[in-house]
Amino acid sequence: MSTEAEIRRGPYAGHTVKIDTRESTTSVHYDTATNGALARFTYRLFRIPSERLLIVRYFHDATMEDRQHAEQALHIQGALFYQNRSEAQRRKRPDGTFVFRIIGGRIVDDPLVQLELEMMIELSSGVSPS
């Protein structure tokens, strides 16, 4: 995928999305998403309103799968900002313009929930220890 795309619909239509080739020093981590599901956070998304620009910067240990998932979702990254704008951190640059940043990733299956489900299935199937 190229390092630049344009959002065509939604609240940030006309914004350019660029993939920053520098990697962040932050590590990939898991946390609870806004809807309570388990999320794997793999990049930061920066919005510079004065330049109509969104910048994606991957965490240093993001996998190719993480990067591909984020790149496939570039056309809706503006929606991520719009839905979570109250969580975005705002910073004023020396030139007086503002940069907003938010952490991004994807929802993943919770391994503990999956293990619990497998154990419940095993117990209900009548398998007994030998």
Side-chain angles (χ1 to χ4, degrees):
M1 167 147 199
S2 70
T3 61
E4 199 169 306
E6 184 180 327
I7 297 176
R8 303 213 184 271
R9 289 187 283 195
Y12 299 112
H15 278 59
T16 301
V17 180
K18 291 185 179 180
I19 299 172
D20 193 343
T21 55
R22 295 177 300 160
E23 292 180 339
S24 171
T25 57
T26 307
S27 294
V28 169
H29 61 278
Y30 293 87
D31 204 348
T32 306
T34 53
N35 63 359
L38 182 68
R40 177 179 167 91
F41 293 103
T42 57
Y43 62 92
R44 285 199 199 291
L45 183 62
F46 299 87
R47 182 171 77 89
I48 306 171
S50 61
E51 298 175 24
R52 298 181 61 83
L53 180 65
L54 295 170
I55 300 171
V56 177
R57 184 174 299 152
Y58 295 109
F59 294 163
H60 72 88
D61 53 350
T63 64
M64 271 315 249
E65 182 182 350
D66 294 328
R67 293 168 193 247
Q68 287 172 346
H69 182 271
E71 289 173 10
Q72 290 171 352
L74 280 177
H75 64 285
I76 60 168
Q77 292 303 337
L80 173 72
F81 246 109
Y82 191 74
Q83 292 168 0
N84 301 309
R85 61 189 176 275
S86 62
E87 297 174 17
Q89 296 174 337
R90 184 176 92 161
R91 183 176 56 89
K92 190 172 185 176
R93 299 194 309 187
D95 65 1
T97 60
F98 288 95
V99 174
F100 296 85
R101 74 177 190 176
I102 197 166
I103 191 169
R106 60 190 167 108
I107 303 299
V108 295
D109 293 329
D110 187 337
L112 295 177
V113 171
Q114 182 66 27
L115 179 62
E116 184 178 356
L117 179 62
E118 289 173 6
M119 290 175 67
M120 287 173 54
I121 291 170
E122 193 173 291
L123 288 173
S124 66
S125 67
V127 177
S128 60
S130 3

